[in-house]
Amino acid sequence: MSPPPGLRGDPPVRKPFSLFVPILAGATLRDRAIACIGALIGICATGLLSSFVFGSDPVLPFIVAPIGASAVLLFAVPASPLAQPWSIIGGNTISALVGIAVGQFVSDPMLAIGLAVALAIAAMSLTRCLHPPGGAAALTAVIGGPAVAAAGYGFAFVPVCLNSAVLVALGLFFHRFSSHSYPHVPAVAPANTHGTGDLPPPVRVGFRAEDIEGALADLGETFDIDPQDLDRLLRRIELRSLLRTQTDFSCADIMSRDVISVGTIADAEEACSLLLSHGVRTLPVIDSSGRLAGTVGLRELARRTGPVEDLMTRAVISTPTAPAVSLMEKLADGTSHSVVIVDEDRRILGLVTQTDLLSAIPRMLARQPEET
């Protein structure tokens, strides 16, 4: 079987009008609508608040043009490393300072504008606040005219830094109500919860952080994504591929149905006795109406007394129709030993343990379709 296109060294096939197709991944119409609303609110409010500082004095602009480009990043791609608070505030301010300095020491305008942008990139890179609109801030500081020249280094702080800080503050508030978190926090790497030197289970097999770093070095390109986010994305792709190909077994097919549980009013001693007598590691906890309230295990019961309701933790749940393989991620996190299968009313239907899932894997692999 011949390898697919792209693995044979064939040049990529360009589709008609491909230059007009954006390459930004994950963008949806809803995201773009949110970005438009955010930019509308952000730019208007930034201009309004900044104009209060300047009053009616027309000597300096109350808002600078680079802030418009900053708003595009802040509201359209808030997860970008280039759109984070320090990138916006530091990138614009430091670049403006660089532009002012170049303008004062270099008299030739053509050389000055080139040096301003080039040195702004260097300064932003060294201070870890690379921000594309910073190049425009540096350029504005050079060619901004007599008003900017008269303001001197103060231009970098008012209006540039002030505009940037106000925009970031508005972005922080706006994204509390959007579907995106801001500032963006990269995915936390899996940790070993047992206090040993081993790698955590999810990363013992497959690619590792050094593989991602090596691949990025091999490609020789700079991508607008945090390496930890890239790691999370690749692992999510692996999981979705597995879910797509392994759909024969559902949670209902492999779950235990005679589930040992305990009530919320039971004490720790009774719960511990149930765990030991049945040889299980987790007990679902049910409330007075028979619905799942949480789970309790030996970890929670060790050297503790009182009602189970005060000791239980949040239950890891799934539905009977969910693919059994979808539980892999939940049962490999180092803390969860079982998943409670519930109906729409959170009534317990069954339980899937790590042993149940491991026992089903050989049958899943046996039914795996052959690649053609």
Side-chain angles (χ1 to χ4, degrees):
M1 182 179 67
S2 61
L7 297 181
R8 299 193 300 254
D10 298 339
V13 178
R14 286 191 176 275
K15 298 180 180 179
F17 306 106
S18 60
L19 292 178
F20 299 95
V21 178
I23 61 174
L24 187 64
T28 64
L29 180 60
R30 179 180 179 276
D31 288 332
R32 289 294 165 261
I34 290 175
C36 293
I37 296 171
L40 172 64
I41 297 172
I43 292 297
C44 289
T46 298
L48 180 63
L49 292 173
S50 297
S51 67
F52 286 148
V53 175
F54 293 103
S56 58
D57 187 357
V59 175
L60 281 176
F62 60 84
I63 188 168
V64 290
I67 296 301
S70 297
V72 173
L73 289 170
L74 173 59
F75 295 107
V77 282
S80 169
L82 307 177
Q84 300 314 296
W86 172 237
S87 296
I88 295 176
I89 299 173
N92 284 333
T93 305
I94 291 171
S95 296
L97 288 170
V98 169
I100 294 165
V102 170
Q104 290 185 352
F105 290 101
V106 180
S107 58
D108 183 271
M110 294 302 103
L111 179 60
I113 59 176
L115 276 176
V117 175
L119 293 177
I121 293 174
M124 288 188 290
S125 299
L126 290 173
T127 53
R128 302 180 65 85
C129 59
L130 189 65
H131 186 59
L139 198 61
T140 302
V142 175
I143 63 173
V148 173
Y153 289 101
F155 173 75
F157 300 100
V158 179
V160 176
C161 183
L162 174 65
N163 288 169
S164 302
V166 171
L167 184 69
V168 166
L170 292 168
L172 290 169
F173 178 76
F174 178 82
H175 283 303
R176 291 184 62 183
F177 304 97
S178 73
S179 58
H180 305 290
S181 62
Y182 186 81
H184 177 67
V185 179
V188 178
N192 188 323
T193 58
H194 303 298
T196 64
D198 293 319
L199 289 171
V203 297
R204 289 179 191 169
V205 179
F207 61 85
R208 298 182 182 177
E210 56 264 32
D211 298 324
I212 295 177
E213 294 174 2
L216 291 173
D218 292 341
L219 293 175
E221 299 282 355
T222 300
F223 296 94
D224 188 12
I225 184 172
D226 186 278
Q228 289 178 290
D229 286 333
L230 183 58
D231 182 285
R232 182 177 64 167
L233 175 62
L234 293 174
R235 296 189 187 281
R236 178 61 55 176
I237 292 172
E238 285 186 332
L239 178 60
R240 290 190 67 86
S241 175
L242 192 62
L243 290 172
R244 175 175 51 82
T245 57
Q246 300 290 345
T247 58
D248 290 338
F249 291 93
S250 67
C251 292
D253 293 327
I254 68 171
M255 69 184 185
S256 303
R257 298 173 185 272
D258 185 13
V259 180
I260 307 301
S261 61
V262 67
T264 53
I265 60 174
D267 58 29
E269 184 178 352
E270 179 184 347
C272 189
S273 177
L274 283 172
L275 283 171
L276 296 175
S277 62
H278 289 278
V280 294
R281 305 181 68 174
T282 305
L283 284 176
V285 180
I286 57 175
D287 60 21
S288 58
S289 62
R291 293 181 174 84
L292 179 67
T295 58
V296 67
L298 290 175
R299 184 189 299 112
E300 292 77 38
L301 296 172
R303 298 186 299 276
R304 297 182 186 179
T305 59
V308 169
E309 186 175 17
D310 296 338
L311 306 175
M312 66 182 182
T313 60
R314 184 177 179 180
V316 181
I317 64 172
S318 187
T319 63
T321 57
V325 73
S326 67
L327 304 184
M328 280 188 173
E329 187 178 32
K330 298 176 180 179
L331 291 175
D333 62 3
T335 58
S336 302
H337 303 292
S338 62
V339 176
V340 186
I341 310 302
V342 297
D343 61 15
E344 295 179 354
D345 293 327
R346 289 183 66 88
R347 296 187 184 277
I348 299 175
L349 300 177
L351 192 77
V352 176
T353 65
Q354 293 169 325
T355 303
D356 296 329
L357 186 58
L358 285 171
S359 299
I361 287 177
R363 286 175 287 161
M364 294 180 188
L365 296 177
R367 292 193 185 183
Q368 185 173 356
E370 295 184 0
E371 295 184 1
T372 56

